[in-house]
Amino acid sequence: MQIHISSSSFLHNVPSRALPCQRRNFSCIVSKEACRPRCLTSTTPSLVTLPLTAQDITPESFAPFGQVIGATDDGKNFDDTDAALKLNLGTPRFYIMHLPRRGMTFDRITYHANVTQCLGGLNPASWYLAVAAPSGSVINAPAEQDLHAFKIPSGKFVKLHQGTWHAGPLFQDHESMDFYNLELSDTNQVDHNTHVYSHKDGLQFEVID
C-alpha cells in the first residue's frame, strides 16, 4: 500500500515509499531524518500512526521538560528538589481533573507559555505523558524526533516548565482516572497553544510501554 503525505514537517519534500513489513498489517516509510525504513501503522489512507516508546521517568531524564516530585519528610526546607513554580501571571487554579479512558494515542500537542503546570494521578496506577522541550511558538511545533514519552508511577507528580509541549495524561487499563492539576484560572481559555498532527501532518502517535 502506498502512503503519501503531501505536507509534513517530518517528511517534507521527501517522496514516501512503502515496503511490506514482516509483522502485522504495517507499511514502511523511509523517514527524512533517520534515512532508514520505519514501520508505521496506517489507520486510514491519509493518517499514519507512529510508535513512541515510553521510558520510566526519573528527575534526570525529565529535566529538559520539567521536574519529578515525590514525597519528602515533613519539615524539610525548600530546595531544588521542590517544584519551582511560576504562577504570577494570573490566578492559580488547583483542581481535580476527571478523565475518561482515551487510549494511548494522541494527534495533538499543547504548551502553556504563562504558567508551570503540575499534574499528578490520584489513582494507585501509573499513567503516561508525551512531552517535548519548549520551542516558543506553534510555528516551531515538535517533530517526531523531539517527542519523548514517560511512564509516571503513582505517588509522583510532574511539574512542566513554562512552554513544555505535552500530550496526556494517557492511560489504558482503567475506565477513568483522576488527576490533580495546578495551572492558572484562564489557562485553557487564553494559553492553550496547540499543534494538531492529524490535520497538518497526517500523523498520530501511539505511546507504547
Side-chain angles (χ1 to χ4, degrees):
M1 179 180 67
Q2 187 78 18
I3 301 175
H4 177 70
I5 301 174
S6 59
S7 176
S8 168
S9 58
F10 310 121
L11 303 176
H12 188 62
N13 294 328
V14 177
S16 296
R17 57 186 176 88
L19 300 172
C21 283
Q22 297 299 317
R23 296 178 300 167
R24 297 192 288 180
N25 187 23
F26 283 178
S27 292
C28 284
I29 287 180
V30 175
S31 71
K32 182 178 180 181
E33 295 78 20
C35 296
R36 67 179 190 273
R38 298 290 309 277
C39 287
L40 315 174
T41 308
S42 176
T43 55
T44 71
S46 60
L47 189 62
V48 172
T49 301
L50 300 178
L52 190 61
T53 301
Q55 58 183 299
D56 291 332
I57 198 166
T58 67
E60 295 76 20
S61 62
F62 198 69
F65 319 107
Q67 293 174 272
V68 183
I69 308 297
T72 59
D73 292 335
D74 185 29
K76 180 185 80 68
N77 291 330
F78 180 84
D79 59 23
D80 59 6
T81 65
D82 293 298
L85 304 176
K86 295 290 186 180
L87 301 167
N88 60 313
L89 296 180
T91 301
R93 181 191 183 196
F94 181 65
Y95 64 104
I96 295 175
M97 178 173 63
H98 179 77
L99 295 180
R101 181 170 58 197
R102 297 169 180 163
M104 299 291 282
T105 61
F106 66 93
D107 72 337
R108 62 200 63 205
I109 195 164
T110 298
Y111 76 86
H112 310 308
N114 298 330
V115 67
T116 53
Q117 185 179 18
C118 293
L119 291 167
L122 282 96
N123 302 71
S126 296
W127 52 284
Y128 300 82
L129 191 69
V131 294
S135 66
S137 171
V138 291
I139 297 174
N140 299 317
E144 175 197 348
Q145 68 271 15
D146 301 321
L147 296 172
H148 302 265
F150 290 92
K151 182 178 183 179
I152 303 164
S154 176
K156 304 283 186 183
F157 77 86
V158 296
K159 184 223 79 178
L160 301 175
H161 295 321
Q162 285 175 277
T164 291
W165 293 90
H166 55 284
L170 303 171
F171 55 92
Q172 180 63 43
D173 296 333
H174 301 273
E175 290 296 326
S176 64
M177 288 184 69
D178 295 330
F179 298 86
Y180 54 84
N181 190 350
L182 175 61
E183 53 189 8
L184 298 181
S185 60
D186 61 354
T187 294
N188 288 329
Q189 287 72 47
V190 303
D191 193 21
H192 214 266
N193 310 287
T194 300
H195 178 79
V196 183
Y197 293 106
S198 58
H199 292 171
K200 296 183 177 297
D201 309 298
L203 298 173
Q204 66 178 359
F205 297 88
E206 181 182 12
V207 175
I208 299 171
D209 194 349

mmCIF file of all heavy atoms in Angstrom, residues 110-137:
data_model
loop_
_atom_site.group_PDB
_atom_site.id
_atom_site.type_symbol
_atom_site.label_atom_id
_atom_site.label_comp_id
_atom_site.label_asym_id
_atom_site.label_seq_id
_atom_site.Cartn_x
_atom_site.Cartn_y
_atom_site.Cartn_z
ATOM 1 N N THR A 110 0.264 20.347 23.096
ATOM 2 C CA THR A 110 -0.059 21.683 23.589
ATOM 3 C C THR A 110 1.045 22.194 24.492
ATOM 4 O O THR A 110 1.746 21.415 25.137
ATOM 5 C CB THR A 110 -1.391 21.635 24.366
ATOM 6 O OG1 THR A 110 -2.439 21.231 23.476
ATOM 7 C CG2 THR A 110 -1.749 22.971 24.975
ATOM 8 N N TYR A 111 1.192 23.509 24.544
ATOM 9 C CA TYR A 111 2.049 24.109 25.573
ATOM 10 C C TYR A 111 1.358 25.333 26.171
ATOM 11 O O TYR A 111 0.497 25.959 25.549
ATOM 12 C CB TYR A 111 3.428 24.472 25.027
ATOM 13 C CG TYR A 111 3.507 25.722 24.169
ATOM 14 C CD1 TYR A 111 3.676 26.984 24.746
ATOM 15 C CD2 TYR A 111 3.429 25.642 22.780
ATOM 16 C CE1 TYR A 111 3.758 28.126 23.960
ATOM 17 C CE2 TYR A 111 3.509 26.776 21.990
ATOM 18 C CZ TYR A 111 3.669 28.018 22.582
ATOM 19 O OH TYR A 111 3.747 29.148 21.809
ATOM 20 N N HIS A 112 1.774 25.664 27.404
ATOM 21 C CA HIS A 112 1.296 26.851 28.108
ATOM 22 C C HIS A 112 2.491 27.772 28.349
ATOM 23 O O HIS A 112 3.458 27.372 29.020
ATOM 24 C CB HIS A 112 0.641 26.482 29.430
ATOM 25 C CG HIS A 112 -0.391 25.394 29.308
ATOM 26 N ND1 HIS A 112 -1.431 25.443 28.409
ATOM 27 C CD2 HIS A 112 -0.527 24.221 29.979
ATOM 28 C CE1 HIS A 112 -2.171 24.355 28.527
ATOM 29 N NE2 HIS A 112 -1.639 23.593 29.472
ATOM 30 N N ALA A 113 2.425 28.972 27.820
ATOM 31 C CA ALA A 113 3.557 29.896 27.911
ATOM 32 C C ALA A 113 3.596 30.659 29.231
ATOM 33 O O ALA A 113 4.661 31.140 29.629
ATOM 34 C CB ALA A 113 3.501 30.893 26.751
ATOM 35 N N ASN A 114 2.462 30.760 29.935
ATOM 36 C CA ASN A 114 2.361 31.678 31.069
ATOM 37 C C ASN A 114 2.420 31.011 32.433
ATOM 38 O O ASN A 114 2.323 31.710 33.446
ATOM 39 C CB ASN A 114 1.047 32.466 30.971
ATOM 40 C CG ASN A 114 0.971 33.304 29.726
ATOM 41 O OD1 ASN A 114 1.993 33.759 29.203
ATOM 42 N ND2 ASN A 114 -0.237 33.524 29.223
ATOM 43 N N VAL A 115 2.599 29.695 32.470
ATOM 44 C CA VAL A 115 2.480 29.010 33.756
ATOM 45 C C VAL A 115 3.274 27.710 33.736
ATOM 46 O O VAL A 115 3.476 27.101 32.678
ATOM 47 C CB VAL A 115 0.984 28.721 34.075
ATOM 48 C CG1 VAL A 115 0.406 27.709 33.089
ATOM 49 C CG2 VAL A 115 0.782 28.264 35.505
ATOM 50 N N THR A 116 3.728 27.300 34.909
ATOM 51 C CA THR A 116 4.283 25.958 35.102
ATOM 52 C C THR A 116 3.140 25.058 35.555
ATOM 53 O O THR A 116 2.596 25.247 36.631
ATOM 54 C CB THR A 116 5.379 25.966 36.169
ATOM 55 O OG1 THR A 116 4.855 26.586 37.372
ATOM 56 C CG2 THR A 116 6.605 26.732 35.720
ATOM 57 N N GLN A 117 2.788 24.100 34.742
ATOM 58 C CA GLN A 117 1.670 23.221 35.068
ATOM 59 C C GLN A 117 2.150 22.022 35.869
ATOM 60 O O GLN A 117 3.212 21.455 35.587
ATOM 61 C CB GLN A 117 0.982 22.742 33.794
ATOM 62 C CG GLN A 117 -0.279 21.916 34.057
ATOM 63 C CD GLN A 117 -0.950 21.480 32.775
ATOM 64 O OE1 GLN A 117 -0.345 21.491 31.705
ATOM 65 N NE2 GLN A 117 -2.218 21.093 32.853
ATOM 66 N N CYS A 118 1.360 21.637 36.879
ATOM 67 C CA CYS A 118 1.652 20.433 37.660
ATOM 68 C C CYS A 118 0.527 19.424 37.465
ATOM 69 O O CYS A 118 -0.655 19.784 37.505
ATOM 70 C CB CYS A 118 1.776 20.756 39.149
ATOM 71 S SG CYS A 118 3.195 21.787 39.570
ATOM 72 N N LEU A 119 0.913 18.161 37.246
ATOM 73 C CA LEU A 119 -0.040 17.077 37.050
ATOM 74 C C LEU A 119 0.367 15.878 37.901
ATOM 75 O O LEU A 119 1.543 15.518 37.945
ATOM 76 C CB LEU A 119 -0.076 16.647 35.576
ATOM 77 C CG LEU A 119 -0.666 17.626 34.564
ATOM 78 C CD1 LEU A 119 -0.323 17.177 33.149
ATOM 79 C CD2 LEU A 119 -2.169 17.742 34.745
ATOM 80 N N GLY A 120 -0.614 15.263 38.534
ATOM 81 C CA GLY A 120 -0.356 14.056 39.317
ATOM 82 C C GLY A 120 -1.599 13.194 39.385
ATOM 83 O O GLY A 120 -2.719 13.709 39.417
ATOM 84 N N GLY A 121 -1.417 11.887 39.386
ATOM 85 C CA GLY A 121 -2.541 10.969 39.437
ATOM 86 C C GLY A 121 -2.957 10.652 40.861
ATOM 87 O O GLY A 121 -2.108 10.451 41.735
ATOM 88 N N LEU A 122 -4.263 10.579 41.101
ATOM 89 C CA LEU A 122 -4.774 10.206 42.421
ATOM 90 C C LEU A 122 -5.018 8.712 42.544
ATOM 91 O O LEU A 122 -5.080 8.191 43.653
ATOM 92 C CB LEU A 122 -6.071 10.961 42.724
ATOM 93 C CG LEU A 122 -5.893 12.416 43.151
ATOM 94 C CD1 LEU A 122 -6.050 13.336 41.951
ATOM 95 C CD2 LEU A 122 -6.881 12.799 44.230
ATOM 96 N N ASN A 123 -5.162 8.013 41.426
ATOM 97 C CA ASN A 123 -5.395 6.581 41.475
ATOM 98 C C ASN A 123 -4.083 5.841 41.731
ATOM 99 O O ASN A 123 -3.011 6.327 41.379
ATOM 100 C CB ASN A 123 -5.989 6.106 40.155
ATOM 101 C CG ASN A 123 -7.281 6.807 39.812
ATOM 102 O OD1 ASN A 123 -7.267 7.986 39.481
ATOM 103 N ND2 ASN A 123 -8.392 6.101 39.862
ATOM 104 N N PRO A 124 -4.156 4.653 42.338
ATOM 105 C CA PRO A 124 -2.929 3.861 42.564
ATOM 106 C C PRO A 124 -2.505 3.131 41.298
ATOM 107 O O PRO A 124 -2.476 1.900 41.238
ATOM 108 C CB PRO A 124 -3.353 2.894 43.670
ATOM 109 C CG PRO A 124 -4.819 2.705 43.459
ATOM 110 C CD PRO A 124 -5.345 4.029 42.965
ATOM 111 N N ALA A 125 -2.192 3.900 40.263
ATOM 112 C CA ALA A 125 -1.851 3.321 38.965
ATOM 113 C C ALA A 125 -0.917 4.263 38.229
ATOM 114 O O ALA A 125 -0.931 5.479 38.434
ATOM 115 C CB ALA A 125 -3.107 3.082 38.138
ATOM 116 N N SER A 126 -0.105 3.702 37.345
ATOM 117 C CA SER A 126 0.781 4.508 36.512
ATOM 118 C C SER A 126 -0.007 5.143 35.364
ATOM 119 O O SER A 126 -1.072 4.660 34.966
ATOM 120 C CB SER A 126 1.904 3.641 35.936
ATOM 121 O OG SER A 126 2.728 3.129 36.959
ATOM 122 N N TRP A 127 0.540 6.214 34.832
ATOM 123 C CA TRP A 127 -0.037 6.884 33.677
ATOM 124 C C TRP A 127 1.103 7.401 32.810
ATOM 125 O O TRP A 127 2.276 7.240 33.153
ATOM 126 C CB TRP A 127 -0.980 8.012 34.097
ATOM 127 C CG TRP A 127 -0.397 9.003 35.055
ATOM 128 C CD1 TRP A 127 -0.180 8.835 36.395
ATOM 129 C CD2 TRP A 127 0.064 10.322 34.745
ATOM 130 N NE1 TRP A 127 0.377 9.960 36.943
ATOM 131 C CE2 TRP A 127 0.544 10.888 35.960
ATOM 132 C CE3 TRP A 127 0.114 11.083 33.578
ATOM 133 C CZ2 TRP A 127 1.065 12.183 36.015
ATOM 134 C CZ3 TRP A 127 0.632 12.376 33.631
ATOM 135 C CH2 TRP A 127 1.089 12.915 34.840
ATOM 136 N N TYR A 128 0.769 7.992 31.660
ATOM 137 C CA TYR A 128 1.786 8.313 30.664
ATOM 138 C C TYR A 128 1.609 9.752 30.175
ATOM 139 O O TYR A 128 0.483 10.278 30.115
ATOM 140 C CB TYR A 128 1.690 7.348 29.477
ATOM 141 C CG TYR A 128 1.895 5.909 29.881
ATOM 142 C CD1 TYR A 128 0.846 5.159 30.427
ATOM 143 C CD2 TYR A 128 3.140 5.295 29.759
ATOM 144 C CE1 TYR A 128 1.030 3.847 30.820
ATOM 145 C CE2 TYR A 128 3.331 3.979 30.150
ATOM 146 C CZ TYR A 128 2.277 3.264 30.681
ATOM 147 O OH TYR A 128 2.467 1.968 31.082
ATOM 148 N N LEU A 129 2.739 10.338 29.804
ATOM 149 C CA LEU A 129 2.736 11.697 29.289
ATOM 150 C C LEU A 129 3.774 11.793 28.173
ATOM 151 O O LEU A 129 4.906 11.337 28.337
ATOM 152 C CB LEU A 129 3.074 12.684 30.402
ATOM 153 C CG LEU A 129 2.867 14.175 30.113
ATOM 154 C CD1 LEU A 129 1.379 14.499 29.987
ATOM 155 C CD2 LEU A 129 3.490 15.024 31.221
ATOM 156 N N ALA A 130 3.370 12.368 27.048
ATOM 157 C CA ALA A 130 4.302 12.654 25.959
ATOM 158 C C ALA A 130 4.678 14.133 26.039
ATOM 159 O O ALA A 130 3.810 14.983 26.262
ATOM 160 C CB ALA A 130 3.680 12.341 24.610
ATOM 161 N N VAL A 131 5.955 14.433 25.868
ATOM 162 C CA VAL A 131 6.430 15.800 26.026
ATOM 163 C C VAL A 131 7.481 16.135 24.968
ATOM 164 O O VAL A 131 8.067 15.250 24.340
ATOM 165 C CB VAL A 131 7.039 16.035 27.429
ATOM 166 C CG1 VAL A 131 5.978 15.919 28.512
ATOM 167 C CG2 VAL A 131 8.186 15.070 27.692
ATOM 168 N N ALA A 132 7.713 17.426 24.804
ATOM 169 C CA ALA A 132 8.827 17.934 24.005
ATOM 170 C C ALA A 132 9.286 19.231 24.642
ATOM 171 O O ALA A 132 8.501 19.938 25.293
ATOM 172 C CB ALA A 132 8.416 18.153 22.550
ATOM 173 N N ALA A 133 10.546 19.553 24.466
ATOM 174 C CA ALA A 133 11.119 20.749 25.066
ATOM 175 C C ALA A 133 10.469 22.006 24.488
ATOM 176 O O ALA A 133 9.992 22.006 23.342
ATOM 177 C CB ALA A 133 12.628 20.778 24.838
ATOM 178 N N PRO A 134 10.437 23.090 25.247
ATOM 179 C CA PRO A 134 9.841 24.329 24.752
ATOM 180 C C PRO A 134 10.494 24.800 23.454
ATOM 181 O O PRO A 134 11.707 24.713 23.288
ATOM 182 C CB PRO A 134 10.108 25.320 25.888
ATOM 183 C CG PRO A 134 10.228 24.474 27.122
ATOM 184 C CD PRO A 134 10.879 23.204 26.652
ATOM 185 N N SER A 135 9.651 25.297 22.549
ATOM 186 C CA SER A 135 10.154 25.850 21.289
ATOM 187 C C SER A 135 9.761 27.312 21.113
ATOM 188 O O SER A 135 10.277 27.979 20.221
ATOM 189 C CB SER A 135 9.611 25.038 20.109
ATOM 190 O OG SER A 135 8.197 25.185 20.003
ATOM 191 N N GLY A 136 8.813 27.785 21.945
ATOM 192 C CA GLY A 136 8.456 29.187 21.940
ATOM 193 C C GLY A 136 7.377 29.594 20.977
ATOM 194 O O GLY A 136 6.931 30.739 20.993
ATOM 195 N N SER A 137 6.917 28.675 20.127
ATOM 196 C CA SER A 137 5.926 29.056 19.123
ATOM 197 C C SER A 137 5.274 27.817 18.537
ATOM 198 O O SER A 137 5.924 26.779 18.379
ATOM 199 C CB SER A 137 6.580 29.864 18.002
ATOM 200 O OG SER A 137 5.696 30.060 16.925
#
